[in-house]
């Protein structure tokens, strides 16, 4: 994949085509600022060409037996496993991740492909004999047609694999719009589809920015749209796509709370918090953002946490001992630093200042940052920072800690660290979030469970992955039969 400095091409109807775009954006390596490629801002006409190609391919693909579709996905899984290290390193270069995190990105994507390969059983309907006298009823699942995925920068391989593998296994055809910030992993994923002989037009890829997104949202042949990104853009995608009669699932913002009880095991708890708050440089929707220390837990955990976080190496993720990689762009680095400055101005106490971390001379780095003395009315306690910044609040009881977490408009994930089953059950029962962890810092569901954000962390009805995704990418037919 020799793309250094080149303008990327779109993939339409089984061909890589140069874009007619008049503008393109640079794709730098966030850790070195080296130019990797340029991404075209494709016009609406190229989105239309991709959708038309997908629509033409749909009927033949829909009529392909589901077992054959599943076998192609199993072959694709093996291809991805053979290229896992290559894909991980590519993700490091374009997204700034640490290498082990990038490997995890690819593995989680492959898990979704493996899940999708089981579609012969996942798409099964239901039958009731003698629903009425002499009458039988059957429920069938049918694919929708052309569906689209608009993907984010922070997991440039995982999210495309989550969306397109389940969509095409259900019998749909797919239009992928990768992040304009991290398009290279998606390009390589589509290139590797050639090794499984997927029919032309079943998967298409169009690069772009707002014009391309608007074209997807308005196109009458697109039946469903999946989006992953910010709350602001997600609200726009949801409203526009729904107004045009499409199914929509939008996975958006987060402010995830980590509740630490006095009986938490210190060493393991600190390790889990470090991974949750500072892994992927905090640029993930399941990152721990707010630590709520209950009772005396803060006096035990915080000194250990500050000491360990200060020892995490920040740098180019391709180096094996780096734990905190780069932020995606210089303007995002500056935004994170501005959030830290604002929190201090509002009265927060800096226990660890990532702006002063030892970092390489080039690249977009902020080190692990820990802010104590934060109250729930501060902006930094409410807004998603999307950086390696952990804020600390205090509570006297578990009930108070849960109330603090439930004040957030987001409800993506929440975690409790405890050895008490009763505390864990109370947390599970009362917390207003969709993905929960008990002594697990990053409670990411496996591909056979749905990715269940709540509140302002999700717009839609059916979530990504698991049976929710099968429901999202299919519609039901109920047949009532009587034979004379």
């Amino acid at each position: 994949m020799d793309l250094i400095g080149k303008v990327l091409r779109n993939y339409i109807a089984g061909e890589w085509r140069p874009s007619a775009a008049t503008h393109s954006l640079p794709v730098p390596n966030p850790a070195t600022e080296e130019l990797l490629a340029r991404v075209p801002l494709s016009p609406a006409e190229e989105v239309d060409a991709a959708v038309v190609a997908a629509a033409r391919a749909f009927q033949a693909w829909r009529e392909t037996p589901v077992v054959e579709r599943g076998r192609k996905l199993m072959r694709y899984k093996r291809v991805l496993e053979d290229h896992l290290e290559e894909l991980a390193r590519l993700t490091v270069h374009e997204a700034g991740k640490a290498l082990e995190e990038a490997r995890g990105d690819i593995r989680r994507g492959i898990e979704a492909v493996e899940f999708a390969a089981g579609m012969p059983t996942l798409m099964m309907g239901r039958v009731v004999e003698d629903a009425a006298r002499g009458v039988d009823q059957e429920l069938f699942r049918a694919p929708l047609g052309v569906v689209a995925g608009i993907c984010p920068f922070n997991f440039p391989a995982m999210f495309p694999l989550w969306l397109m593998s389940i969509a095409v296994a259900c019998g749909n055809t797919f239009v992928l719009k990768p992040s304009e910030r991290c398009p290279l992993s998606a390009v390589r994923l589509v290139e590797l589809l050639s090794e499984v002989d997927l029919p032309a037009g079943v998967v298409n890829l169009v690069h772009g920015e707002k014009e391309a997104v608007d074209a997807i949202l308005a196109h009458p042949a697109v039946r469903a749209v999946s989006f992953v990104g910010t709350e602001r853009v997600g609200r726009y995608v949801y409203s526009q796509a729904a107004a045009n009669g499409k199914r929509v699932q939008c996975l958006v913002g987060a402010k995830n709370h980590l509740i630490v009880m006095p009986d938490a095991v210190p060493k393991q708890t600190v390790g889990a918090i470090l991974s949750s708050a500072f892994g992927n440089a905090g640029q993930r929707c399941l990152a721990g953002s707010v630590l709520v220390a209950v009772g005396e837990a803060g006096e035990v955990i915080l000194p250990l946490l500050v000491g360990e976080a200060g020892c995490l190496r920040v740098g180019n993720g391709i180096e094996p001992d780096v734990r905190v990689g780069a932020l995606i762009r210089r303007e995002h680095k500056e935004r994170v630093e501005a959030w830290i400055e604002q929190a201090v101005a509002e009265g927060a106490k800096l226990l660890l200042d990532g702006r002063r971390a030892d970092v390489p001379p080039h690249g977009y780095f902020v080190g692990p940052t820990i802010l104590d003395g934060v109250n729930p009315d501060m902006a930094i306690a409410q807004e998603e920072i999307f950086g390696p910044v952990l804020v600390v609040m205090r509570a006297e009881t578990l009930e108070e800690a849960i109330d603090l977490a439930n004040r957030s408009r987001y409800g993506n994930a929440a975690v409790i660290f405890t050895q008490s089953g009763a505390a864990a059950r109370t947390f599970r029962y009362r917390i207003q979030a969709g993905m929960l962890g008990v002594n697990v810092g990053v409670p990411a569901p496996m591909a056979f469970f749905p990715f269940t954000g709540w509140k302002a962390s999700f717009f839609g009805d059916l979530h990504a992955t698991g049976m929710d995704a099968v429901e999202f990418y299919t519609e039901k037919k109920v047949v009532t039969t009587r034979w004379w």
Side-chain angles (χ1 to χ4, degrees):
M1 189 178 183
D2 183 16
L3 295 171
I4 300 300
K6 294 180 180 178
V7 178
L8 302 178
R9 296 178 294 171
N10 296 324
Y11 186 74
I12 299 172
E15 299 177 342
W16 290 101
R17 303 180 184 179
S19 174
T22 55
H23 299 286
S24 64
L25 296 176
V27 182
N29 181 327
T32 67
E33 303 182 59
E34 169 196 13
L35 179 66
L36 300 176
R38 297 194 67 87
V39 61
L41 303 185
S42 301
E45 293 79 10
E46 290 171 352
V47 172
D48 179 68
V51 174
V52 168
R56 287 174 178 164
F58 170 65
Q59 194 59 39
W61 182 243
R62 184 251 167 94
E63 293 171 2
T64 301
V66 65
V67 291
E68 294 184 21
R69 299 198 301 259
R71 287 171 189 150
K72 287 186 182 294
L73 268 295
M74 282 302 294
R75 289 200 292 273
Y76 189 44
K77 173 182 177 288
R78 289 193 291 270
V79 170
L80 293 170
E81 287 170 339
D82 290 342
H83 291 268
L84 190 151
E85 190 66 16
E86 172 205 341
L87 288 165
R89 289 176 176 272
L90 179 59
T91 297
V92 170
H93 291 311
E94 71 168 342
K97 293 174 180 275
L99 182 57
E100 192 55 38
E101 291 167 349
R103 290 175 179 137
D105 180 345
I106 310 304
R107 289 190 191 102
R108 296 307 296 268
I110 292 173
E111 287 172 6
V113 177
E114 184 176 44
F115 171 77
M119 201 54 67
T121 56
L122 299 173
M123 276 190 73
M124 282 183 178
R126 301 193 300 270
V127 177
V128 174
E129 189 177 42
D130 292 323
R133 192 170 299 278
V135 174
D136 303 328
Q137 287 193 328
E138 304 160 280
L139 181 148
F140 297 88
R141 295 185 188 276
L144 299 174
V146 180
V147 299
I150 303 167
C151 293
F153 73 82
N154 58 329
F155 287 90
M158 185 186 78
F159 279 117
L161 290 173
W162 276 17
L163 303 179
M164 73 178 180
S165 62
I166 300 175
V168 302
C170 287
N172 302 285
T173 52
F174 196 79
V175 176
L176 171 63
K177 207 298 284 184
S179 168
E180 64 277 11
R181 292 178 170 182
C182 289
L184 302 180
S185 296
V187 167
R188 188 61 181 140
L189 293 176
V190 172
E191 287 179 346
L192 292 173
L193 283 171
S194 64
E195 299 191 26
V196 300
D197 194 29
L198 200 68
V202 172
V203 171
N204 306 270
L205 182 152
V206 181
H207 298 288
E209 207 173 29
K210 187 176 186 299
E211 183 177 353
V213 169
D214 284 340
I216 289 170
L217 302 181
H219 203 293
V222 175
R223 295 288 312 282
V225 176
S226 301
F227 169 82
V228 187
T230 66
E231 179 192 2
R232 178 183 61 83
V233 179
R235 287 185 183 276
Y236 175 80
V237 169
Y238 182 66
S239 63
Q240 294 299 306
N244 287 312
K246 306 182 192 309
R247 290 189 181 183
V248 200
Q249 54 180 200
C250 292
L251 289 69
V252 291
K255 196 69 177 179
N256 306 314
H257 288 64
L258 311 175
I259 297 175
V260 181
M261 299 297 292
D263 66 342
V265 179
K267 181 179 179 181
Q268 287 87 339
T269 297
V270 167
I273 293 171
L274 290 173
S275 175
S276 180
F278 307 126
N280 207 35
Q283 297 174 119
R284 57 185 176 203
C285 61
L286 290 178
S289 303
V290 181
L291 190 160
V292 185
V294 178
E296 66 271 19
E299 281 60 48
V300 176
I301 293 295
L302 275 178
L304 297 173
L305 184 63
V306 172
E308 292 286 337
C311 294
L312 297 178
R313 185 180 172 197
V314 182
N316 189 337
I318 206 67
E319 299 172 13
D321 58 340
V322 165
R323 293 284 304 279
V324 182
L327 296 172
I328 190 64
R329 292 290 184 271
R330 180 174 300 281
E331 58 268 26
H332 186 53
K333 170 184 181 291
E334 293 169 352
R335 176 179 173 273
V336 171
E337 290 175 334
W339 272 114
I340 297 170
E341 186 63 34
Q342 180 178 337
V344 173
E346 291 181 359
K349 178 183 178 182
L350 267 172
L351 301 183
L352 184 64
D353 189 350
R355 297 170 299 177
R356 295 184 171 87
D358 182 17
V359 301
H362 301 286
Y364 318 128
F365 298 101
V366 174
T369 299
I370 300 175
L371 291 153
D372 197 4
V374 174
N375 69 63
D377 295 322
M378 291 181 180
I380 202 162
Q382 301 174 20
E383 302 300 327
E384 184 174 40
I385 309 305
F386 227 58
V389 178
L390 180 67
V391 303
V392 180
M393 295 194 291
R394 310 296 179 117
E396 290 300 317
T397 65
L398 173 59
E399 289 71 20
E400 182 185 348
I402 291 172
D403 289 341
L404 284 172
N406 287 346
R407 287 181 61 170
S408 174
R409 71 178 185 275
Y410 296 116
N412 210 44
V415 172
I416 187 170
F417 295 97
T418 184
Q419 294 302 297
S420 166
R425 187 184 187 280
T426 298
F427 165 81
R428 173 181 62 79
Y429 193 83
R430 288 195 53 211
I431 202 77
Q432 296 170 7
M435 289 169 283
L436 309 182
V438 178
N439 300 318
V440 174
V442 183
M446 301 293 284
F448 38 83
F449 281 101
F451 197 85
T452 51
W454 283 21
K455 296 163 66 173
S457 293
F458 178 76
F459 305 133
D461 297 303
L462 293 165
H463 295 82
T465 68
M467 282 304 299
D468 267 33
V470 178
E471 293 273 357
F472 182 77
Y473 288 123
T474 58
E475 53 191 350
K476 302 176 186 70
K477 291 182 177 180
V478 175
V479 180
T480 303
T481 304
R482 170 183 280 136
W483 294 104
W484 300 108

